[in-house]
Amino acid sequence: MSMFFLAIGILLFIAVTYIILHELILLRSSRSQSRSFTGYKPSKRAVTREADFQVTHKGKGTSITEAMYLDTAIYRITYQFPNNAKVKLYLVSTDGTIEKIVVEKAGYGTATFNVQIAKHYVFRVETSAEDGEWAIILKRF
């Protein structure tokens, strides 16, 4: 008779362990799925990696770069300007509604700036050294 109760106890233990493990697996997998019974749907944002976005502009003297689309974000700019003349670098929207100075320096360095409205922009480079070459590398911060 004690063998019978031992066998029933082992079977009961196995059944309870199976149910607990099964529920844990279902709980873990349901976190990544949408919960239609509550109306909750996880966000479906496009994942963009910061390292993927990089724009390089090079030029000579006062000029305007090609247009580029910038999302709302913080950007880091690495610049190399002529050492003998101060350069003003403006960020200007292509429709002309936004214009702000990003850098006013000579030589090389880095700076950060914030884009608050996503749209197409250009950089306007103004310098007194018309023969001075410059380069800009723009990355998302």
Side-chain angles (χ1 to χ4, degrees):
M1 190 62 123
S2 66
M3 251 345 221
F4 174 74
F5 287 117
L6 181 62
I8 295 291
I10 290 174
L11 287 174
L12 185 61
F13 176 76
I14 291 172
V16 169
T17 304
Y18 172 77
I19 291 170
I20 290 172
L21 288 175
H22 187 263
E23 290 297 318
L24 285 174
I25 290 170
L26 287 177
L27 180 65
R28 180 172 285 164
S29 67
S30 70
R31 287 182 184 167
S32 63
Q33 298 172 355
S34 98
R35 300 180 185 200
S36 58
F37 61 92
T38 63
Y40 171 76
K41 292 182 182 174
S43 174
K44 301 279 186 187
R45 279 194 210 172
V47 177
T48 56
R49 295 192 328 234
E50 296 168 5
D52 290 347
F53 180 81
Q54 179 173 323
V55 178
T56 303
H57 297 287
K58 294 180 180 180
K60 194 180 241 188
T62 299
S63 60
I64 296 175
T65 65
E66 292 181 19
M68 63 199 148
Y69 183 80
L70 298 180
D71 279 325
T72 303
I74 298 173
Y75 292 89
R76 171 174 279 157
I77 189 163
T78 304
Y79 57 87
Q80 184 171 0
F81 298 146
N83 288 326
N84 57 352
K86 197 173 263 192
V87 175
K88 289 183 182 179
L89 179 67
Y90 294 90
L91 180 68
V92 182
S93 64
T94 55
D95 61 4
T97 58
I98 298 172
E99 180 177 320
K100 68 179 179 179
I101 191 160
V102 177
V103 177
E104 186 175 359
K105 302 267 183 176
Y108 64 93
T110 62
T112 57
F113 65 94
N114 185 14
V115 173
Q116 295 179 350
I117 300 173
K119 54 172 58 181
H120 287 87
Y121 292 91
V122 296
F123 284 117
R124 187 175 74 227
V125 182
E126 294 180 358
T127 179
S128 59
E130 292 302 319
D131 293 338
E133 294 182 355
W134 51 265
I136 301 167
I137 299 173
L138 178 67
K139 291 184 180 181
R140 197 170 177 165
F141 191 64

